[in-house]
Amino acid sequence: MELGLVGLGKMGGNMRERIRRAGHTVIGYDRNPDLADVHSLGELVGKLKSPRVVWVMVPAGAPTQATVDELAELLEPGDVVVDGGNSRWTDDEKHAEELGAKGIGFVDAGVSGGVWGLQNGYALMVGGDAENIAKVQPVFDALKPEGEFGFVHAGKVGAGHFSKMVHNGIEYAMMQAYAEGWELLEKVDSVTDVREVFRSWQEGTVIRSWLLDLAVNALDGDEHLDKLKGYAEDSGEGRWTVEAAIDNAVPLPAITASLFARFASRQEDSPQMKMIAALRNQFGGHAVETK
């Protein structure tokens, strides 16, 4: 089939290549002309045969909204837009309504795989009507990993991005657990080869995972992570997961703590710990350190 792909960055560029390797035609547009096959969204739409499928891989929020708005004016009834970025599921409902008013279908696709997706395939969680998903299915089949798993029609519009959001929340908590265990192992004198302890867990243990494999890869490149600064950003989906948990009264203590740990990583000198030190000094006369 033919596919228009908007956004050819780290994810989008590799996705274009994987889809082409499966024998499909991909016409890509990016603001960077060095990456693009065409020079505008209008040219991209003009090169596709009807019914068209256009997959959007741009940052969530205003960039995605602007792209959807422009496509709404360019596409025709029966065409389909796929949002494969990290949009919030509430935006999906808005985009589906906007495009649906013009007879254009909408599918939201949560995509996991990162920089390894070209080689290993992408896990896909999609939401929308079965009729619209069927128009995109050959591309989903090209992108997914080999084997039985890696693709799911999760439900109605918004279900794909909601599922990917929860996936990322779980990822936060798993990474935090590995990080805490690694720090404790590094701290004690009795464990002399933390990297090999992590490597030993890759087979036969209940905590083996791809994230563990990646941790070992990182330690092979920098055994004590001396080259890195202990600073971690969050993509936004961790926050949305915690907000959704509050809205639905679902307890998420591990995921919430892992999100807050990332906030703590950005503080050179914790204001909270200053107050705790001051209070310990006030009620117990405990020593404090001064600048």
Side-chain angles (χ1 to χ4, degrees):
M1 65 174 285
E2 292 183 343
L3 178 75
L5 183 59
V6 183
L8 302 170
K10 288 184 293 185
M11 286 278 282
N14 281 345
M15 289 169 64
R16 173 174 61 175
E17 178 61 24
R18 186 171 174 91
I19 297 166
R20 284 176 173 172
R21 288 179 184 180
H24 303 295
T25 298
V26 183
I27 301 170
Y29 169 70
D30 193 276
R31 288 187 301 175
N32 181 348
D34 294 334
L35 302 176
D37 302 314
V38 293
H39 299 98
S40 69
L41 282 180
E43 185 181 352
L44 180 147
V45 170
K47 286 182 175 291
L48 295 171
K49 298 174 186 174
S50 187
R52 307 170 186 87
V53 176
V54 180
W55 188 305
V56 179
M57 287 294 291
V58 302
T64 295
Q65 184 65 60
T67 304
V68 170
D69 290 344
E70 189 171 352
L71 288 173
E73 299 302 318
L74 293 169
L75 295 174
E76 299 174 345
D79 295 342
V80 175
V81 172
V82 181
D83 181 3
N86 284 331
S87 293
R88 189 165 181 158
W89 80 96
T90 49
D91 290 342
D92 295 327
E93 296 164 356
K94 177 183 176 184
H95 296 154
E97 183 177 356
E98 174 186 351
L99 294 167
K102 295 175 178 273
I104 302 166
F106 179 81
V107 173
D108 60 288
V111 182
S112 180
V115 296
W116 297 87
L118 175 59
Q119 175 183 334
N120 298 336
Y122 299 87
L124 303 164
M125 297 144 268
V126 306
D129 295 340
E131 177 185 357
N132 291 326
I133 289 170
K135 294 178 182 178
V136 195
Q137 194 64 53
V139 172
F140 293 144
D141 292 340
L143 288 171
K144 71 178 285 295
E146 296 292 332
E148 183 179 355
F149 305 111
F151 169 84
V152 61
H153 180 186
K156 298 182 290 185
V157 165
H161 280 143
F162 194 94
S163 299
K164 176 58 163 50
M165 177 194 75
V166 174
H167 165 283
N168 281 24
I170 293 169
E171 177 187 295
Y172 273 51
M174 291 176 66
M175 288 193 288
Q176 185 65 27
Y178 285 129
E180 291 174 7
W182 173 79
E183 181 178 358
L184 181 58
L185 287 166
E186 285 276 325
K187 190 73 173 180
V188 300
D189 293 332
S190 59
V191 180
T192 57
D193 199 335
V194 176
R195 177 177 60 185
E196 293 309 310
V197 170
F198 262 60
R199 196 187 312 279
S200 75
W201 292 344
Q202 290 181 278
E203 297 290 345
T205 70
V206 296
I207 63 167
R208 63 189 185 273
S209 73
W210 188 43
L211 280 175
L212 178 63
D213 296 342
L214 295 176
V216 172
N217 285 351
L219 295 174
D220 280 341
D222 183 6
E223 183 173 357
H224 302 288
L225 303 183
D226 295 324
K227 300 174 184 177
L228 298 179
K229 184 178 180 181
Y231 179 103
E233 282 288 1
D234 66 285
S235 64
E237 290 178 304
R239 301 187 191 206
W240 299 342
T241 304
V242 173
E243 290 170 4
I246 294 169
D247 291 341
N248 291 278
V250 174
L252 298 186
I255 292 173
T256 302
S258 67
L259 174 64
F260 288 167
R262 295 200 186 188
F263 297 164
S265 79
R266 301 168 203 169
Q267 296 178 325
E268 294 286 348
D269 189 14
S270 171
Q272 296 174 24
M273 291 302 110
K274 290 181 183 181
M275 176 56 75
I276 289 171
L279 289 170
R280 292 182 75 247
N281 178 258
Q282 289 291 319
F283 71 68
H286 301 290
V288 296
E289 295 185 11
T290 57
K291 292 185 178 178

